[in-house]
């Protein structure tokens, strides 16, 4: 276990099994929650419903027109020789068809607007909530799986909202109108069609259930594959250096095989629905012709909603058309059922992210601009003064006190554990006065990075106290606490944008002159001006066009422009060559003047000039003192420095 790297203290991560998913077909809570996003589109949804009704009525009217054509128009033409009544009927049905086409266009276009609006709202909620999540969440979930929720899972929702839902709604409305129309023509034949449809629904229901189960498993395994691919892309150099290509392909093949199996089964069952329902529809068509003809020949009284009538040829012909219109929507509903189930599985994964417990913050002490009056009293200022103070409200009497931000950090008997029952820090006590440079030395996993993670409250301690300028950091709001800290990590993250924008990331209100001054302070100005567009050069792909050292210098400049009283340098110069390191070290020494600095470094040459060097081993402090003092004691630090014992 790596006590120093929280990212390695994690649960299922890249390459972890997807696990057995919840195989419930429908999660009512997910459905209910999903529809809350539709509230802002009430008017548009009303337009969609009206348009679907008009479109469905128009499709049903074709069968009614067929009955009129056979039973009314043709006999009238034969009797009178006039086509006037037929022309009138054709114009009438033409107007209905045109309204149906326009309605179909309107509801499809409107659903596209609704679907994109709903997805925008969901993605906004996902991203906004993601910003509130603790570091622990990102340490225990793969980047690829999180991205899969934004891409694959959201895409299944898009397909459902823009296609599956309107088609399913249209099919249900069509079924209702067709059923009512059939009852108005013949109750007996309608009952025959309904009984046949029940048989059809039982068959397709079983197939759709299996399809939905495997679609949910497909979404899980898809996230697992994405996580593995993301990990392999990020570690491609390592893969090649250690000739791990074949093993990587083998592991990917296993994960891809699971995805292939789940996707194949899901789509196999889904693809069976169409042929089965279509062929059963053909069977119904034949049976209906036989049954209808037999009833007509036997002169069986035809029961309708309006009473008893004769079963005419036009009625039978209309039923042949209506039966197809009745079976086809059922077919469409069953086909869309799999897509809806898959989308609900994706929605559940999306809502799981949104429902993740946000980072808790019970702090009430804030960081404010301050000014010092002539009598030494500290007061709050609305303008930037270069002086900061902690604003401490007292609920008991309603008063407010101000403490000047100086950078005095104290850890008092601190214990910590990433996983309950597995303590990684034991009785850590140390103090750093303003302007002091404190260096942490120790083997990988000794707890160096963990201590700095506790100072900025990426994690909360199990026991003990951490005080900042005499204030328990649990009382300080996390954003204010972190604003007072400058952090330079070993792993550099640059963002798409200009060099100037990346430096300004440290303080958004910094001017161009302040950003350039920060770059000069850390010796980054020279190489930046040699870039094609200088400070306006656009960086893409995490600054892939720069060397590792140049990327690190920009990140150091980013920390410098924030001008914090406390700086944490976690292996900050590990990626820089020795010559550049010496230049940066001198610049950093000037930058650190008057600031509290915590340094983590494997190269002991970078910590010689530290005021205090703390040697850690297995989460405990075993030595502390200046470089000269520790060398004189000839303990672990002496062994490390002289090479008698090397850092692991």
């Amino acid at each position: 276990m790596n006590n120093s790297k929280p990212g390695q203290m994690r649960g299922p991560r890249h390459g972890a099994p997807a696990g057995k998913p919840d195989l419930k077909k429908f999660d009512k809570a997910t459905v209910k929650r999903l529809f809350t996003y539709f509230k802002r589109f009430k008017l548009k949804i009303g337009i969609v419903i009206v348009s679907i009704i008009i479109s469905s009525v128009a499709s049903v009217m074709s069968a009614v027109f067929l009955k009129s054509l056979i039973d009314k128009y043709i006999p009238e033409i034969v009797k009178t020789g006039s086509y006037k009544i037929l022309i009138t009927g054709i114009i009438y049905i033409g107007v209905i068809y045109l309204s149906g086409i326009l309605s179909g266009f309107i509801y499809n276009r409107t659903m596209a607007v609704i679907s994109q609006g709903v997805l925008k709202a969901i993605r906004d909620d996902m991203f906004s909530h993601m910003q509130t999540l603790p570091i622990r969440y990102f340490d225990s979930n793969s980047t690829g799986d999180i991205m899969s929720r934004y891409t694959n899972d959201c895409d299944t929702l898009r397909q459902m909202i823009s296609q599956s839902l309107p088609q399913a709604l249209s099919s249900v409305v069509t079924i209702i109108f067709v059923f009512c129309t059939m009852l108005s023509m013949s109750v007996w034949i309608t009952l025959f069609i309904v009984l046949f449809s029940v048989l059809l629904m039982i068959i397709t229901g079983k197939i759709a259930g299996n399809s939905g189960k495997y679609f949910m498993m497909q979404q899980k395994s898809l996230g697992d594959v994405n996580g593995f691919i993301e990990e392999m892309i990020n570690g491609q150099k390592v893969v090649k250096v250690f000739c791990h290509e074949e093993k990587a392909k083998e592991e990917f093949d296993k994960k891809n095989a699971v995805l292939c199996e789940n996707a194949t089964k899901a789509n196999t069952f889904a693809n069976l629905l169409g042929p089965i329902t279509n062929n059963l529809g053909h069977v119904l068509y034949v049976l209906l012709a036989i049954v209808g003809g037999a009833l007509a020949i036997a002169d069986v009284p035809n029961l309708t909603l309006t009473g008893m009538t004769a079963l005419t040829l036009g009625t039978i012909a209309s039923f042949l058309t209506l039966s197809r219109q009745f079976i086809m929507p059922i077919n469409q509903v069953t086909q869309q059922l799999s897509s809806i189930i898959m989308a609900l599985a994706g929605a559940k994964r999306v809502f799981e992210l949104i429902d993740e417990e946000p980072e808790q913050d019970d702090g009430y002490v804030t960081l404010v601009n301050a000014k010092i009056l002539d009598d030494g009293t500290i007061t709050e200022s609305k303008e930037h003064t270069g002086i900061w103070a902690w604003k401490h409200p007292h609920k008991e009497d309603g008063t407010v006190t101000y403490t000047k931000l100086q950078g005095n950090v104290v850890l008092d008997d601190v214990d910590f554990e990433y996983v309950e029952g597995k303590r990684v820090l034991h009785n850590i006590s140390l103090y750093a006065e303003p302007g002091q440079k404190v260096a942490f030395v120790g083997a990988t996993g000794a707890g160096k990075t963990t201590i700095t993670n506790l100072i900025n409250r990426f994690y909360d301690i199990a026991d003990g106290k951490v005080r900042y300028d005499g204030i328990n950091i649990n009382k300080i709001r996390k954003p204010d606490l972190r604003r007072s800290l400058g952090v330079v990590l070993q792993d550099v993250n640059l963002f798409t944008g200009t060099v100037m924008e990346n430096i300004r990331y440290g303080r958004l209100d910094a001017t161009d002159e302040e950003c350039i001054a920060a770059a000069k302070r850390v010796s980054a100005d020279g190489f930046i001006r040699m870039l094609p567009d200088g400070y306006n050069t656009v960086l893409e792909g995490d600054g892939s066009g720069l060397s590792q050292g140049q990327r690190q210098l920009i990140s150091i400049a980013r920390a410098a422009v924030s001008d914090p009283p406390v700086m944490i340098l976690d292996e900050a110069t590990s990626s820089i060559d020795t010559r550049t390191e010496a230049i940066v070290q001198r610049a950093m020494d000037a930058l650190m003047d008057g600031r509290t600095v915590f340094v983590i470094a494997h190269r002991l040459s970078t910590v010689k000039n530290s005021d205090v060097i703390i040697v850690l081993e297995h989460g405990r402090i075993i030595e502390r003192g200046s470089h000269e003092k520790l060398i004189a004691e000839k303990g672990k630090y002496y062994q490390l420095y002289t090479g008698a014992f090397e850092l692991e």
Side-chain angles (χ1 to χ4, degrees):
M1 183 179 297
N2 187 340
N3 300 343
S4 163
K5 302 290 184 183
Q8 296 177 14
M9 302 286 303
R10 55 189 56 154
R13 179 77 171 165
H14 309 294
K20 187 176 180 181
D22 182 3
L23 300 181
K24 290 174 66 177
K25 293 180 185 179
F26 287 100
D27 187 328
K28 292 182 180 179
T30 301
V31 175
K32 183 178 180 180
R33 186 169 179 181
L34 185 59
F35 275 93
T36 60
Y37 284 91
F38 288 84
K39 288 183 179 179
R40 69 191 68 183
F41 300 103
K42 289 180 180 179
L43 178 60
K44 288 184 171 62
I45 290 174
I47 294 172
V48 168
I49 293 174
V50 172
S51 298
I52 286 176
I53 291 173
I54 294 174
S55 179
S56 299
V57 169
S59 65
V60 173
M61 290 304 294
S62 62
V64 176
F65 177 74
L66 183 62
K67 180 179 185 301
S68 299
L69 177 66
I70 295 174
D71 291 344
K72 181 179 179 181
Y73 298 154
I74 293 178
E76 185 70 22
I77 293 171
V78 171
K79 181 179 178 181
T80 63
S82 173
Y83 289 88
K84 184 178 180 180
I85 189 172
L86 178 61
I87 294 171
T88 303
I90 291 174
I91 294 173
Y92 171 73
I93 198 66
V95 172
I96 292 176
Y97 277 169
L98 182 61
S99 64
I101 293 171
L102 290 174
S103 299
F105 173 79
I106 290 171
Y107 87 70
N108 278 296
R109 185 71 178 268
T110 307
M111 281 307 301
V113 175
I114 294 173
S115 65
Q116 292 304 322
V118 169
L119 285 180
K120 179 185 180 299
I122 289 176
R123 285 193 295 263
D124 284 343
D125 286 351
M126 288 174 68
F127 193 82
S128 296
H129 185 72
M130 191 176 72
Q131 305 309 306
T132 70
L133 297 180
I135 293 296
R136 188 184 299 273
Y137 176 80
F138 301 98
D139 286 341
S140 57
N141 290 272
S142 76
T143 305
D145 185 63
I146 296 173
M147 285 302 303
S148 185
R149 297 171 195 256
Y150 280 93
T151 54
N152 298 315
D153 294 324
C154 282
D155 191 58
T156 61
L157 280 174
R158 178 193 60 78
Q159 292 181 10
M160 181 187 76
I161 297 171
S162 63
Q163 299 175 21
S164 301
L165 279 182
Q167 285 187 16
L169 179 60
S170 176
S171 298
V172 170
V173 172
T174 300
I175 290 170
I176 294 172
F177 278 112
V178 170
F179 180 71
C180 294
T181 303
M182 290 192 301
L183 283 177
S184 69
M185 292 184 179
S186 175
V187 174
W188 309 129
I189 299 179
T190 301
L191 289 176
F192 176 77
I193 293 174
V194 169
L195 289 174
F196 190 90
S197 299
V198 170
L199 174 64
L200 175 65
M201 291 175 68
I202 292 173
I203 296 172
T204 55
K206 290 185 177 296
I207 297 173
N210 286 320
S211 176
K213 176 179 69 175
Y214 287 110
F215 269 126
M216 294 180 75
M217 295 175 69
Q218 172 189 301
Q219 290 303 106
K220 284 282 187 180
S221 51
L222 183 59
D224 191 34
V225 167
N226 284 342
F228 183 79
I229 292 173
E230 179 262 339
E231 185 179 62
M232 289 298 104
I233 291 173
N234 288 340
Q236 194 58 221
K237 289 182 180 178
V238 178
V239 171
K240 292 187 179 299
V241 164
F242 291 100
C243 303
H244 204 268
E245 292 92 341
E246 293 302 320
K247 183 64 176 176
K249 285 193 289 185
E250 180 182 331
E251 292 181 20
F252 178 77
D253 285 345
K254 290 179 182 178
K255 297 180 183 299
N256 202 26
V258 173
L259 173 59
C260 179
E261 180 182 0
N262 292 333
T264 299
K265 289 180 178 178
N267 287 285
T268 296
F269 285 112
N271 292 337
L272 281 174
L273 288 173
I276 288 175
T277 51
N278 280 333
N279 285 311
L280 287 175
H282 295 319
V283 171
L284 176 61
Y285 192 87
V286 174
L287 291 176
L288 194 58
I290 295 172
V291 170
L295 291 175
I297 292 171
D299 201 22
V300 175
N302 182 36
L303 177 64
T304 68
L305 292 178
T306 57
M308 303 297 291
T309 62
L311 186 61
T312 63
L313 180 60
T315 301
I316 297 173
S318 293
F319 262 102
L320 292 175
T321 302
L322 289 170
S323 68
R324 301 300 295 270
Q325 291 182 340
F326 192 72
I327 292 296
M328 185 174 67
I330 294 177
N331 179 23
Q332 290 176 343
V333 170
T334 52
Q335 284 182 329
Q336 297 304 327
L337 190 61
S338 294
S339 297
I340 292 173
I341 291 173
M342 182 171 67
L344 291 177
K348 188 172 183 180
R349 281 168 48 81
V350 166
F351 293 142
E352 282 174 357
L353 188 152
I354 296 176
D355 290 337
E356 281 290 333
E357 188 70 23
E359 189 174 26
Q360 298 300 313
D361 188 1
D362 299 323
Y364 52 88
V365 176
T366 57
L367 187 65
V368 297
N369 285 298
K371 58 183 178 181
I372 302 176
L373 303 179
D374 294 337
D375 60 358
T377 305
I378 300 174
T379 184
E380 188 172 348
S381 172
K382 294 182 179 180
E383 299 176 352
H384 180 70
T385 61
I387 301 173
W388 297 90
W390 300 110
K391 182 179 181 180
H392 195 306
H394 300 277
K395 296 180 180 179
E396 301 82 10
D397 54 11
T399 60
V400 176
T401 58
Y402 295 92
T403 303
K404 185 180 179 183
L405 174 58
Q406 295 178 314
N408 191 317
V409 180
V410 177
L411 277 72
D412 185 11
D413 203 21
V414 169
D415 295 332
F416 176 71
E417 52 193 28
Y418 287 112
V419 180
E420 188 174 354
K422 296 183 179 180
R423 191 151 293 184
V424 297
L425 289 182
H426 309 267
N427 309 113
I428 300 296
S429 294
L430 61 90
Y431 64 89
E433 295 179 350
Q436 272 195 329
K437 181 179 179 182
V438 179
F440 296 115
V441 174
T444 298
K448 305 183 297 295
T449 299
T450 299
I451 292 176
T452 60
N453 282 338
L454 298 183
I455 294 172
N456 55 35
R457 287 193 71 190
F458 283 159
Y459 294 88
D460 288 322
I461 59 177
D463 195 13
K465 292 284 190 298
V466 180
R467 292 185 175 86
Y468 196 161
D469 290 331
I471 305 170
N472 190 325
I473 62 171
N474 290 333
K475 297 179 180 179
I476 302 175
R477 288 182 67 248
K478 288 183 179 180
D480 294 88
L481 172 66
R482 292 166 186 167
R483 195 181 304 135
S484 71
L485 301 169
V487 181
V488 180
L489 301 173
Q490 179 180 8
D491 298 324
V492 181
N493 288 106
L494 299 180
F495 302 94
T496 299
T498 65
V499 173
M500 184 72 75
E501 289 169 344
N502 271 276
I503 295 176
R504 189 177 283 117
Y505 206 88
R507 182 162 60 90
L508 296 180
D509 61 351
T511 64
D512 288 354
E513 291 73 20
E514 289 173 324
C515 292
I516 293 171
K520 288 180 178 178
R521 224 176 300 164
V522 298
S523 305
D525 181 72
F527 87 83
I528 292 175
R529 292 190 182 277
M530 294 175 66
L531 296 174
D533 296 313
Y535 283 88
N536 293 319
T537 301
V538 176
L539 303 179
E540 295 181 356
D542 200 15
S544 56
L546 303 176
S547 70
Q548 185 68 17
Q550 290 172 331
R551 294 171 69 247
Q552 187 64 281
L553 284 172
I554 291 176
S555 74
I556 294 173
R558 183 168 60 197
V561 80
S562 66
D563 197 25
V566 178
M567 293 200 70
I568 298 172
L569 310 178
D570 187 353
E571 307 283 2
T573 59
S574 62
S575 301
I576 301 175
D577 61 83
T578 307
R579 180 179 176 278
T580 306
E581 180 183 11
I583 297 172
V584 173
Q585 199 63 54
R586 288 196 299 270
M588 292 300 291
D589 288 341
L591 176 66
M592 292 184 290
D593 184 35
R595 291 180 172 85
T596 307
V597 181
F598 294 97
V599 179
I600 300 173
H602 274 111
R603 283 185 272 191
L604 299 185
S605 59
T606 63
V607 300
K608 285 176 59 177
N609 63 344
S610 299
D611 298 299
V612 180
I613 298 173
I614 294 176
V615 183
L616 294 161
E617 187 172 74
H618 302 304
R620 300 178 187 274
I621 296 176
I622 60 173
E623 294 177 11
R624 73 177 79 206
S626 66
H627 171 76
E628 292 75 15
K629 178 177 178 293
L630 295 179
I631 289 294
E633 290 178 354
K634 294 190 175 181
K636 177 59 69 71
Y637 180 80
Y638 174 81
Q639 294 177 335
L640 294 171
Y641 189 77
T642 59
F645 184 85
E646 294 185 357
L647 289 175
E648 297 174 356

